[in-house]
């Protein structure tokens, strides 16, 4: 079973960029890498996903290593509202999301 | 377009009672997933349903838990004879066309078993 590994926690200062790493060394060649985040007392929300190329959307950027063994979620300017648990996720054969423990991001004003 | 709705948001049950959790997917979404989040843990997949069909229930406990997604109405997660270990947040998510689409999560139902 392919696993994802993330640091338990990270801290950032407000208005600064944040780089959240994820290792997924055993992911298959056709599996997308997904990122979701969960704000306190809320359900998870989709952030971004990608396969091989770097991806950008209004929330974040996703940088995927050339060998696909790791990726980095980039928040360009962290705000207090970005404090959440960030999950780097692979999907099961039926599309279900397989969550790990995620990285708890704290943002300091 | 309203988001995924779950009710109740909070549910308290005594040991041995039944809990029914409801999930109304986003309009036009025919795929529903249920996940459980135990205190201080990540989310674990329970079951995946399409209208009137259970597609994958590999994450469901073998006893006391069941799920349905009828042709009309919300998806229901039913827990019979609840025990304290069932206390958790239960989230449902829906997606529109294919199981590999982005999933939209509801706010969750927090079940407390006394």
């Amino acid at each position: 079973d392919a696993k994802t590994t993330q640091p338990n926690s990270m801290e950032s200062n407000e208005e600064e960029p944040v780089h959240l790493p994820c290792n997924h060394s055993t992911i298959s060649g056709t599996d997308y890498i997904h990122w979701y985040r969960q704000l306190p007392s809320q359900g998870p929300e989709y952030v971004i996903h990608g396969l091989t190329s770097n991806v950008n959307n209004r929330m974040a950027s996703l940088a995927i290593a050339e060998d696909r063994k790791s990726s980095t979620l980039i928040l360009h300017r962290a705000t207090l509202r970005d404090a959440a648990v960030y999950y780097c996720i692979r999907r099961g054969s039926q599309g279900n999301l397989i969550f790990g423990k995620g990285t708890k991001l704290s943002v300091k004003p | 377009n309203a988001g995924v709705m779950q009710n109740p948001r909070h549910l308290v049950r005594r040991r041995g009672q039944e809990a029914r959790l409801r999930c109304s997917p986003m309009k036009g979404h025919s795929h529903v997933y249920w996940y459980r989040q135990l205190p201080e843990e990540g989310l674990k997949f329970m079951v995946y349903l399409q209208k009137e069909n259970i597609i994958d229930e590999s994450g469901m406990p073998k006893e006391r838990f069941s799920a349905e997604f009828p042709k009309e109405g919300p998806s229901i997660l039913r827990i019979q004879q609840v025990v304290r270990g069932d206390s958790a947040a239960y989230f449902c998510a829906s997606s529109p066309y294919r199981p590999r689409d982005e999933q939209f999560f509801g706010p969750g139902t927090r079940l407390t078993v006394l």
Side-chain angles (χ1 to χ4, degrees):
Chain A
D1 241 13
K3 287 187 178 179
T4 60
T5 306
Q6 301 177 253
N8 290 334
S9 62
M10 290 185 66
E11 275 192 357
S12 171
N13 294 317
E14 199 175 8
E15 302 293 315
E16 290 185 356
V18 182
H19 291 231
L20 297 163
C22 178
N23 288 322
H24 33 76
S25 58
T26 57
I27 200 169
S28 77
T30 56
D31 280 347
Y32 280 77
I33 299 145
H34 301 258
W35 285 80
Y36 281 70
R37 72 178 185 181
Q38 186 175 22
L39 278 65
S41 301
Q42 295 188 28
E45 65 173 341
Y46 167 83
V47 178
I48 201 166
H49 75 282
L51 184 62
T52 55
S53 312
N54 295 344
V55 185
N56 299 292
N57 65 22
R58 64 177 179 82
M59 287 182 72
S61 296
L62 178 60
I64 302 170
E66 201 168 324
D67 62 7
R68 285 184 27 92
K69 291 182 185 294
S70 65
S71 60
T72 301
L73 180 71
I74 302 164
L75 306 179
H76 295 286
R77 291 179 66 194
T79 69
L80 297 178
R81 292 176 55 200
D82 291 322
V85 178
Y86 287 79
Y87 296 99
C88 168
I89 287 172
R90 60 184 179 91
R91 301 186 77 144
S93 59
Q94 295 290 351
N96 56 289
L97 300 173
I98 303 173
F99 288 84
K101 294 188 183 298
T103 296
K104 184 174 183 178
L105 175 66
S106 303
V107 180
K108 296 185 289 185
Chain B
N1 189 5
V4 176
M5 296 198 296
Q6 290 188 250
N7 67 81
R9 294 291 305 277
H10 299 274
L11 182 62
V12 179
R13 285 287 178 266
R14 296 190 181 280
R15 280 179 298 171
Q17 292 184 319
E18 179 180 288
R20 280 185 182 238
L21 287 61
R22 295 174 187 77
C23 169
S24 296
M26 290 179 70
K27 186 177 179 181
H29 287 197
S30 58
H31 303 267
V32 168
Y33 298 80
W34 285 92
Y35 297 84
R36 176 167 67 173
Q37 186 169 33
L38 295 169
E40 305 302 322
E41 292 191 19
L43 287 85
K44 302 287 187 212
F45 164 72
M46 299 182 75
V47 62
Y48 162 42
L49 310 104
Q50 292 181 29
K51 284 284 188 183
E52 300 184 275
N53 289 303
I54 296 174
I55 307 301
D56 180 359
E57 57 182 347
S58 59
M60 286 276 269
K62 293 287 185 279
E63 297 176 349
R64 302 187 297 108
F65 285 71
S66 62
E68 62 177 13
F69 187 16
K71 187 176 179 181
E72 301 290 339
S75 175
I76 306 284
L77 180 68
R78 181 183 178 205
I79 311 172
Q80 294 178 290
Q81 299 176 314
V82 295
V83 300
R84 288 217 173 104
D86 296 332
S87 295
Y90 292 81
F91 294 94
C92 79
S94 71
S95 66
Y97 303 115
R98 297 176 301 271
R100 299 204 174 270
D101 287 334
E102 171 189 347
Q103 292 185 15
F104 296 83
F105 282 79
T109 293
R110 279 152 184 82
L111 172 66
T112 301
V113 180
L114 302 177

